[in-house]
Structure formats: structure tokens, C-alpha cells
């Protein structure tokens, strides 16, 4: 009979599949077939040796250990001891669970119980506990509760007090971290803590410290009683330090750091989390813990504005969670990436990260992270993008996800007839009610806050617009009174220039310059004397009185007028010839005023630049039924502060200017149900988008 070289073939699996653990079973099957080992038996001695090898690799070389067990799982067992076979399948399930292959872990652990069901032992207890944990990770909470209970029952039958208490601890941990029932979790954890304290063993002391740490989480996360949380964390830290359990020490320090973060003590939080990360790195097989702590450290650094350090922490944390397939941490880190991008004002990337977190959370039924993603998006839309409708919708979606979560959790609880202890029933429903009530209060507060902020911002914008209109009407009244004098002045200057140009002794270059000036004066006089100016002062600018205009008829002469003006001011202007064939109900004179105003702004923005370039193009937004005129320049651009002020009456970046142009543009567009959008980057240029309603 040929001997199977398990170690060599396991390395072949690693060469083929690397860390893509979902391919291990297929790779093992292919390698066995390729080496003509199909149907090969494995004897007791070989399996015992293999189990010893896998156990020695489990922490330090987790992927290689799973490669070994994946290979063995494809071999045939014949007439072997049931307990030995059950031990293998239980260990294979544990390795799969360690690498978040919850489906494979559940199947392997259930298979192990087929061989262990008559062997009432500690191994059966741990296998039941594995089944429960795998089911919990798959969000099958009813199965998880059932098997933790079975593990506890068998341990009690065997008088394994400590092992039984660990199942109580795991139930409590599940209720606080997955089922969101803090009061029920508190009961389990408090009971477990009392029992652990009565057992004088090293693992029992670890258990007592772990219970205190989890209860501290309840006070920190749910009741926000930071004083009590810190007290519990410190007591847990004392125990872990005493027994020299570094993993527990690192966890306690991290949680104390999170309390400091909640208090706004960011430097203290950062220091504690850095110490926690350093200790966790020393522990073999704690890569997942390192990733979690790095993510927490990154969040603190984002709050403190230490963006480069935060990015470095998040990059390592994200890579580790991908390697070890920790979907919960992956989604949590994506939210932190979104917060980082938001901090540096990369809002599109922030939105993309929040949506990715939402998608991952939805796929794996992580309702709390999915709802958190919606709330983060709502805040982004409200505060940064000022998209109030989207902000409200995101907040409502978060509430809907929360409701779905509660429906799912309620369905996962044991039925009344399955719970004999009436106090347990009371605790279950008390906890459900308390948490549900708290969630509804939080949801209402969130929606109320979103609505209030949107209202305040909208009110502020309305007040600014009202102020602008008042100032514009005042200016219009003054202009109306002085219009005649201004026209006389313009025509008088134009007449004087005509007389000067009639003098043949005027030099050619001077003649050209004076001629350009005269033409500009005449265009101004033409505009000022037209009916459009009267309607502007009467606040009826642009209303075409049910008359529509063809864009291909109206726009070319306006664009030619614009071209001549730009050329006279030594600007390189490119006007796309393609004009959509649509109709608009807007007076051509209004379009000319708006376009020329924006072109003049572009010209003024060039300052000392040599390459002065303007591009004007026209396109149709068919989906929203708008004609869009785009004016882009490569001028000096604007800062974010300047961008927020540009439509404010009397505000200008240009010395000596009154700040009338853009408020007038906004007023004119509002009068014809149109809009203007602007994008600008300091030092690079500005783009204006004018949007007129169109039809065919």
C-alpha cells in the first residue's frame, strides 16, 4: 500500500491555493486524484500523528494546519476508533472556524458528533460549543442557543463545572454582541463570574476576568456609565496581570482606551491602544486581535486629525481582516475608511466606503453595521453634501434595517414552551423591551436631529437669498432712477470716440483700441436700453410669456458676441459648435446677461496667468430635461470658503468690485426655474454649469 505523505501534499495545497481557504477542499481532492491516491485509506497511527502535527501548527501556522486537515478530510477512514474519527472532525471544524469558514465548521462539527454521541466527554462538550459558535457566526441564533445549552447540559452531567460555566459565558457574550439584549447578557455574565470565582484554577481566573471585561462593555456601550465600565476593566486587568495572561491584558487596555476616547481624552486613548497593539503582536495566532485594535487606534487618530498614522493603521488592519476573513471587522474598517476620507474632504470616496460597508454587512446579516453605515451616509449627505432629501432617506433606511434586525432577533429567541425557568422568560422579555425602547428613542433622536439640521441649513440659505433679493431690488431701484443718465453718459462717450476715430491722424494701434472700446460701450447701451432691463427691475426678468425659443437659433449669436468680447480681452476661448436641438422658454437677453457675466468672471480670474483659456460647451441632460451650458476656465480658482460665499450680495474676491454679478445670475435663474452649479479648485480653475428647463 502506498504511503500518503500528508505534510508534502499539504504544502502542495498551500502552493496552489495560498490563503484562499475556500479552495482548500477542492485543491486537496485534485491533488489526491492527481497522485493516484483516490480512495486511499488512512490508519490509526497515521491519523494520530497527523492530529498531533495539526495541533502543533494550529496557532502559529493556521493556514498550513487547515491544509493538513483538508487533505485528511478527503481520505477514507476504515475500521478506526469512533472517538479518533470524531476528534479529527472536531479539530477540522475548529480550524475552519478559526478562519471564518463557518459553513464548513458547522458541517464538520456536526459530523464529529455522529462519532462522539455515545462518548459523553469534554470533547463532546467542546464540539457542541463549536457548533453553537459556527451557527452564531452564520446568524442562526436559535441553533446557537440550542447547542450552547446542550454543551452546558452535558458538562453539568459530567460535573465539569468550569466547562459548563464557559458555555454560560458564551451565551452572555452572544446576547450582548449579537442579540443586543444587555440585561439578559448581564444576567448570564454575572452568574458565570460568580461560578468562575469559586473555582481556583488558571482558566477559571481567565474566565472571571473575561466576564468582568464583557460586563464593562455593557456599561460602556449601552448605559454609557464610563465610571462603572472603567472600574470593571481595571479589576479585570488586575486579574489578568496577576496570572500573566497577556491576551487579557491587551484587551483590558484597549477597552480602557475606548473609555478615554468617549471622554474626549484622545492622547490617552491613543497611548493605551498603542500599548494594547504592541502586546497583542507578541501573542502567537492573535492576528485578528491586532486588526481589531489597529482599527480602534485608527478611529482615534482620525478624530485627532492624525490622518497619515490613521491610514497606516487602517491599511494593515484591512489586510489582516482580509487574510483571516473577519467580515465583521472588514465592514467596520470600511466605515472607518469612510470617516477618514470624510475628514480629508474626499466625499465621493467616503460615500463609496460607506456603501461597501453596507453591502458587506447586508450580505452577512450584520444589521448593526448596516444601520450604522446608513447613519454615516445620512450625516455625510446632511452636513457635507447638503443633500437633505438623501440624508433623510438614509436615516429612515437605517431605522428600517434596525427594525429588520429586531424581527430577526425575536424570531431567533427560544419559544416560551422551550424555556422552563419563568425568571428566564421574564429576563428575556424585559431585555428585549428595554433594548427595543432604547433603539426607538435613538432612531427618533437621529431623524429629529437630521430634520432639524436640514431645516436650519435651509432656513439660513433662505435668509441669505432673501437678503440678496432685498439688496438687488434696492440696487434695481437706484438703477431705474439713474438709467437715463447712464445711457446719456454711454452714448456721449461713444459719440466722442466716433469723432476721435474720424481724425485720420490717430495711429493704427490706438485706433483699434478705441474702436473696441466704442463697440463695448454701444453693446452696453443696447442692453441697458432694451425691454429686458425694464423687466429685470420689475422682477419679471426672463419670463417669456409662453413663448419658446430654439437653442440653435438663439445661442449662436450670443456665443459669437461672447467670443468677440473674450478676444478683445486677449483670452483664448473655445466654443463647441455642437448645440442640442431643443427649446427653452427663456428670454435670449437673459441668457446673454448670464453667460456674459460668467465669461467676464472667468476673464477676471486669470490675473497674471499667461495661458488664459476658456471653454464653453452646450449639452442636453435628457434624463432631467435640462439644457446645460458649461463654462470652464483655467484661472485662479477658489478656496472652499470662497466657494460658499460667491452668491452672497456684496461679496467679491476682486478689489473694487461690488459683488453684484453672481447674486444677479442666481436671481435671474431663480426667476425662470433654472439653476447654476459651480465646481472650483484653488489654483486650477472654475467650472459653472447653467441649467435651463428644456423640451422638444
Amino acid at each position: 500500500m502506498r504511503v500518503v505523505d500528508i505534510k508534502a501534499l499539504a504544502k502542495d495545497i498551500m502552493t496552489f491555493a495560498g490563503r484562499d481557504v475556500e479552495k482548500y477542499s477542492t485543491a486537496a481532492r485534485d491533488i489526491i486524484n492527481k497522485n493516484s491516491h483516490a480512495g486511499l485509506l488512512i490508519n490509526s497511527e497515521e491519523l494520530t500523528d497527523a492530529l498531533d502535527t495539526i495541533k502543533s501548527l494550529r496557532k502559529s501556522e493556521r493556514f498550513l494546519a487547515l491544509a493538513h486537515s483538508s487533505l485528511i478530510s478527503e481520505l477514507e477512514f476504515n475500521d478506526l476508533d469512533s472517538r479518533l474519527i470524531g476528534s479529527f472532525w472536531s479539530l477540522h471544524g475548529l480550524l475552519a472556524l478559526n478562519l471564518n469558514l463557518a459553513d464548513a465548521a458547522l458541517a464538520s462539527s456536526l459530523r464529529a458528533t455522529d462519532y462522539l454521541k455515545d462518548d459523553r466527554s469534554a470533547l463532546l462538550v467542546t464540539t457542541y460549543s463549536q457548533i453553537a459558535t459556527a451557527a452564531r457566526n452564520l446568524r442562526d441564533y436559535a441553533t446557537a442557543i440550542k447547542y450552547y445549552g446542550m454543551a452546558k447540559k452535558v458538562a453539568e452531567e459530567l460535573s465539569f463545572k468550569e466547562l459548563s460555566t464557559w458555555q454560560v459565558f458564551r451565551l452572555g457574550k452572544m446576547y450582548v454582541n449579537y442579540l443586543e439584549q444587555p440585561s439578559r447578557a448581564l444576567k448570564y455574565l454575572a452568574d458565570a463570574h460568580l461560578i468562575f470565582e469559586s473555582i481556583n484554577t488558571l482558566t477559571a481566573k481567565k474566565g472571571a476576568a473575561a466576564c468582568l471585561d464583557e460586563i464593562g462593555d455593557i456599561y460602556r456601550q449601552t448605559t454609557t456609565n464610563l465610571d462603572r465600565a472603567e472600574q470593571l476593566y481595571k479589576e479585570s486587568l488586575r486579574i489578568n496581570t496577576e496570572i500573566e495572561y497577556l491576551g487579557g491584558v491587551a484587551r483590558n487596555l484597549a477597552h480602557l482606551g475606548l473609555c478615554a476616547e468617549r471622554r474626549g481624552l484622545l492622547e490617552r486613548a491613543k497611548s493605551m491602544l498603542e500599548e494594547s497593539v504592541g502586546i497583542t503582536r507578541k501573542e502567537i495566532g492573535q492576528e485578528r486581535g491586532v486588526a481589531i485594535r489597529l482599527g480602534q487606534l485608527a478611529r482615534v487618530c482620525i478624530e485627532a486629525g492624525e490622518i497619515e498614522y490613521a491610514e497606516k493603521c487602517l491599511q494593515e488592519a484591512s489586510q489582516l481582516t482580509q487574510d483571516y476573513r473577519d467580515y465583521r471587522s472588514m465592514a467596520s474598517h470600511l466605515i472607518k475608511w469612510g470617516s477618514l476620507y470624510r475628514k480629508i474632504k474626499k466625499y465621493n470616496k467616503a460615500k463609496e466606503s460607506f456603501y461597501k460597508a453596507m453591502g458587506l454587512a447586508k450580505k452577512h446579516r450584520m444589521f448593526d453595521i448596516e444601520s450604522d453605515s446608513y447613519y454615516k451616509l445620512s450625516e455625510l449627505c446632511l452636513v457635507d453634501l447638503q443633500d437633505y432629501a438623501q440624508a433623510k432617506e438614509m436615516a429612515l433606511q437605517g431605522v428600517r434595517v434596525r427594525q429588520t434586525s429586531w424581527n430577526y432577533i425575536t424570531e431567533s429567541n427560544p419559544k416560551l414552551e422551550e424555556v422552563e425557568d419563568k425568571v428566564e422568560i421574564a429576563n428575556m422579555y424585559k431585555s428585549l423591551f428595554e433594548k427595543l425602547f432604547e433603539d426607538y428613542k435613538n432612531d427618533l433622536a437621529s431623524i429629529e436631529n437630521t430634520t432639524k439640521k436640514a431645516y436650519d441649513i435651509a432656513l439660513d440659505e433662505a435668509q441669505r437669498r432673501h437678503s440678496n433679493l432685498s439688496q438687488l431690488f434696492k440696487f434695481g431701484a437706484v438703477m431705474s432712477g439713474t438709467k437715463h443718465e447712464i445711457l446719456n453718459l454711454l452714448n456721449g462717450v461713444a459719440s466722442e470716440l466716433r469723432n476721435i476715430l474720424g481724425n485720420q491722424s490717430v495711429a493704427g494701434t490706438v485706433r483699434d483700441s478705441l474702436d473696441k472700446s466704442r463697440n463695448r460701450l454701444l453693446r452696453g447701451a443696447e442692453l441697458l436700453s432694451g425691454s429686458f432691463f425694464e423687466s429685470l427691475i420689475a422682477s419679471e426678468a426672463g419670463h417669456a410669456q409662453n413663448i419658446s425659443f430654439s437653442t440653435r437659433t438663439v445661442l449662436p449669436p450670443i456665443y459669437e458676441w461672447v467670443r468677440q468680447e473674450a478676444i478683445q480681452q486677449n483670452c483664448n476661448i473655445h466654443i463647441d459648435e455642437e448645440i442640442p436641438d431643443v427649446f427653452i422658454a427663456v428670454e435670449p437677453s437673459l441668457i446673454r446677461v448670464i453667460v456674459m457675466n460668467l465669461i467676464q468672471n472667468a476673464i477676471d480670474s486669470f490675473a497674471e496667468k499667461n495661458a488664459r483659456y476658456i471653454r464653453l460647451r452646450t449639452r442636453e441632460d435628457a434624463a432631467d430635461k435640462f439644457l446645460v451650458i458649461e463654462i470652464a476656465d483655467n484661472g485662479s480658482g477658489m478656496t472652499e470658503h470662497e466657494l460658499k460665499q460667491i452668491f452672497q450680495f456684496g461679496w467679491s474676491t476682486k478689489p473694487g468690485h461690488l459683488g453684484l454679478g453672481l447674486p444677479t445670475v442666481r436671481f435671474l435663474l431663480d426667476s425662470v426655474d433654472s439653476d447654476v452649479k459651480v465646481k472650483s479648485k484653488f489654483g486650477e480653475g472654475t467650472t459653472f454649469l447653467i441649467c435651463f428647463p428644456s423640451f422638444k
Side-chain angles (χ1 to χ4, degrees):
M1 184 175 74
R2 295 181 63 183
V3 177
V4 180
D5 189 344
I6 293 174
K7 291 182 180 179
L9 295 180
K11 288 183 178 178
D12 288 344
I13 292 174
M14 290 291 295
T15 301
F16 173 77
R19 294 195 168 192
D20 190 351
V21 291
E22 289 186 323
K23 293 182 178 178
Y24 279 20
S25 293
T26 305
R29 202 172 302 122
D30 291 345
I31 288 170
I32 289 171
N33 291 333
K34 184 179 178 182
N35 287 274
S36 302
H37 294 316
L40 192 65
L41 304 179
I42 184 169
N43 60 39
S44 295
E45 185 179 351
E46 290 171 332
L47 183 54
T48 302
D49 288 345
L51 287 176
D52 289 339
T53 300
I54 292 169
K55 287 174 184 176
S56 68
L57 292 171
R58 189 173 76 83
K59 278 197 172 182
S60 59
E61 297 184 69
R62 197 169 290 176
F63 293 95
L64 187 56
L66 182 63
H68 275 78
S69 65
S70 297
L71 183 71
I72 294 169
S73 71
E74 298 299 326
L75 300 176
E76 288 189 13
F77 307 115
N78 187 31
D79 297 328
L80 299 185
D81 178 70
S82 291
R83 193 173 197 283
L84 182 61
I85 298 173
S87 297
F88 164 72
W89 284 114
S90 181
L91 181 58
H92 185 54
L94 178 61
L95 292 170
L97 192 60
N98 289 158
L99 289 169
N100 213 16
L101 288 167
D103 287 316
L106 183 62
S108 297
S109 299
L110 284 169
R111 192 168 181 178
T113 61
D114 292 338
Y115 295 95
L116 298 172
K117 58 188 174 184
D118 297 325
D119 181 14
R120 312 292 278 184
S121 64
L123 180 59
L124 180 61
V125 175
T126 56
T127 303
Y128 279 152
S129 188
Q130 279 176 207
I131 292 170
T133 302
R136 182 202 70 189
N137 290 357
L138 291 168
R139 273 61 186 175
D140 183 356
Y141 300 125
T143 299
I145 292 168
K146 174 185 173 182
Y147 274 91
Y148 280 135
M150 289 171 64
K152 178 175 177 288
K153 184 178 180 182
V154 173
E156 287 172 343
E157 289 173 0
L158 297 170
S159 298
F160 292 158
K161 190 175 181 181
E162 188 176 314
L163 197 53
S164 168
T165 308
W166 276 110
Q167 310 317 311
V168 178
F169 167 78
R170 291 182 179 114
L171 274 166
K173 187 173 180 179
M174 183 175 72
Y175 274 107
V176 69
N177 292 327
Y178 291 85
L179 291 171
E180 301 184 51
Q181 296 179 45
S183 61
R184 198 173 184 201
L186 188 60
K187 177 183 180 298
Y188 280 116
L189 292 168
D191 289 348
H193 178 255
L194 284 173
I195 300 170
F196 276 134
E197 278 197 318
S198 69
I199 307 171
N200 190 27
T201 66
L202 181 64
T203 52
K205 288 180 178 178
K206 283 185 179 179
C211 287
L212 291 172
D213 191 78
E214 289 291 335
I215 294 171
D217 283 352
I218 293 174
Y219 282 103
R220 175 173 58 85
Q221 296 171 353
T222 308
T223 67
T224 61
N225 187 340
L226 295 179
D227 290 337
R228 180 62 177 145
E230 285 178 335
Q231 185 183 19
L232 290 161
Y233 291 147
K234 286 175 181 177
E235 177 59 19
S236 180
L237 177 61
R238 183 192 65 75
I239 297 171
N240 284 320
T241 304
E242 184 180 281
I243 63 176
E244 298 181 345
Y245 177 38
L246 292 180
V249 169
R251 185 176 62 242
N252 298 146
L253 286 171
H255 290 168
L256 283 166
L258 297 181
C259 285
E261 180 192 9
R262 291 286 286 271
R263 294 185 188 279
L265 305 172
L266 299 183
E267 278 302 316
R268 182 179 173 189
K270 178 184 165 188
S271 176
M272 286 183 159
L273 284 165
E274 285 177 329
E275 187 177 356
S276 176
V277 170
I279 294 171
T280 310
R281 286 191 193 279
K282 296 175 183 177
E283 290 282 282
I284 296 173
Q286 288 298 315
E287 293 85 357
R288 179 175 177 272
V290 172
I292 291 171
R293 306 300 170 230
L294 282 171
Q296 292 166 339
L297 178 57
R299 185 181 62 223
V300 171
C301 291
I302 292 167
E303 290 177 53
E306 298 182 32
I307 301 303
E308 288 186 12
Y309 189 18
E311 191 170 0
K312 180 183 175 184
C313 292
L314 269 181
Q315 283 172 345
E316 183 182 354
S318 299
Q319 186 59 55
L320 284 171
T321 53
Q322 286 175 8
D323 287 346
Y324 287 88
R325 301 162 49 76
D326 183 354
Y327 300 120
R328 187 172 188 82
S329 291
M330 281 184 204
S332 178
H333 293 335
L334 282 167
I335 288 178
K336 294 181 183 80
W337 276 114
S339 298
L340 186 148
Y341 289 131
R342 187 180 168 202
K343 190 83 171 182
I344 59 177
K345 304 188 187 320
K346 292 185 177 181
Y347 300 130
N348 287 336
K349 296 192 79 171
K351 184 184 283 190
E352 183 183 345
S353 293
F354 291 142
Y355 271 116
K356 282 182 179 178
M358 186 193 304
L360 191 60
K362 186 176 294 188
K363 180 179 178 181
H364 296 282
R365 289 186 297 209
M366 297 179 289
F367 299 110
D368 55 335
I369 293 181
E370 185 183 354
S371 62
D372 192 28
S373 301
Y374 276 117
Y375 293 141
K376 293 289 185 185
L377 271 168
S378 175
E379 188 179 20
L380 173 71
C381 292
L382 178 68
V383 177
D384 301 307
L385 304 179
Q386 296 187 4
D387 186 341
Y388 313 132
Q390 185 76 350
K392 182 181 177 183
E393 179 58 29
M394 292 295 102
L396 289 171
Q397 285 284 15
V399 173
R400 293 183 190 113
V401 170
R402 187 91 69 129
Q403 184 60 56
T404 302
S405 169
W406 272 105
N407 292 340
Y408 190 80
I409 288 170
T410 304
E411 291 167 6
S412 299
N413 276 278
K415 293 182 173 63
L416 291 181
E417 58 268 22
E418 295 176 6
V419 182
E420 297 177 2
D421 187 346
K422 299 298 185 287
V423 176
E424 176 71 4
I425 296 173
N427 280 329
M428 179 199 310
Y429 282 97
K430 175 177 179 287
S431 182
L432 277 166
F433 174 78
E434 286 176 350
K435 184 60 178 155
L436 186 59
F437 182 67
E438 188 65 27
D439 281 350
Y440 272 124
K441 283 201 305 183
N442 291 338
D443 291 339
L444 286 171
S446 174
I447 294 172
E448 181 186 9
N449 185 49
T450 300
T451 305
K452 185 178 182 303
K453 280 187 179 178
Y455 174 79
D456 288 344
I457 294 170
L459 181 62
D460 183 57
E461 176 67 16
Q463 288 173 339
R464 282 205 309 268
R465 288 204 178 195
H466 176 74
S467 174
N468 279 349
L469 284 174
S470 297
Q471 296 294 337
L472 284 169
F473 286 141
K474 289 177 185 177
F475 181 74
V478 172
M479 285 295 292
S480 180
T482 59
K483 173 188 169 186
H484 183 69
E485 286 74 12
I486 293 171
L487 272 174
N488 286 341
L489 177 63
L490 291 177
N491 287 322
V493 173
S495 178
E496 288 295 328
L497 287 174
R498 184 187 61 191
N499 293 334
I500 294 171
L501 289 169
N503 188 338
Q504 297 301 319
S505 64
V506 176
T509 53
V510 175
R511 180 181 294 277
D512 290 342
S513 178
L514 292 176
D515 192 41
K516 289 178 182 178
S517 298
R518 179 172 177 270
N519 288 334
R520 293 183 68 189
L521 284 170
L522 290 173
R523 282 199 294 271
E526 176 191 346
L527 178 62
L528 201 57
S529 61
S531 60
F532 167 72
F533 186 80
E534 296 292 346
S535 63
L536 171 59
I537 294 171
S539 75
E540 297 175 353
H543 286 288
Q545 299 179 346
N546 300 321
I547 301 174
S548 59
F549 302 92
S550 165
T551 52
R552 290 187 175 177
T553 302
V554 166
L555 294 182
I558 294 174
Y559 289 172
E560 182 56 33
W561 191 75
V562 164
R563 186 197 309 276
Q564 293 300 323
E565 189 66 23
I567 291 172
Q568 286 187 16
Q569 298 190 56
N570 301 317
C571 287
N572 181 14
I573 185 166
H574 175 79
I575 301 177
D576 288 4
E577 294 182 1
E578 184 61 32
I579 295 176
D581 188 12
V582 296
F583 288 86
I584 52 177
V586 182
E587 287 283 355
S589 50
L590 179 141
I591 300 173
R592 185 169 71 171
V593 168
I594 291 171
V595 171
M596 194 57 234
N597 195 302
L598 297 179
I599 290 290
Q600 190 60 52
N601 272 358
I603 293 170
D604 292 341
S605 75
F606 291 125
E608 301 301 321
K609 272 198 172 184
N610 292 324
R612 298 146 64 90
Y613 180 79
I614 299 172
R615 178 175 179 177
L616 189 155
R617 67 187 184 118
T618 317
R619 56 185 170 82
E620 181 188 8
D621 185 341
D624 294 327
K625 296 183 179 178
F626 274 103
L627 174 80
V628 180
I629 298 176
E630 180 179 318
I631 299 171
D633 66 65
N634 66 337
S636 56
M638 288 177 277
T639 64
E640 282 198 33
H641 172 72
E642 291 171 340
L643 205 53
K644 290 178 180 178
Q645 308 292 323
I646 58 174
F647 294 110
Q648 190 67 30
F649 183 90
W651 190 91
S652 178
T653 58
K654 296 175 282 188
H657 283 250
L658 297 176
L660 287 171
L662 290 177
T664 301
V665 166
R666 165 68 66 81
F667 166 69
L668 295 177
L669 288 168
D670 283 348
S671 73
V672 289
D673 301 320
S674 301
D675 195 16
V676 58
K677 300 174 183 177
V678 57
K679 298 179 289 185
S680 188
K681 193 165 184 181
F682 186 72
E684 296 185 15
T686 302
T687 299
F688 279 92
L689 302 171
I690 314 163
C691 305
F692 294 112
S694 64
F695 53 93
K696 292 188 176 180

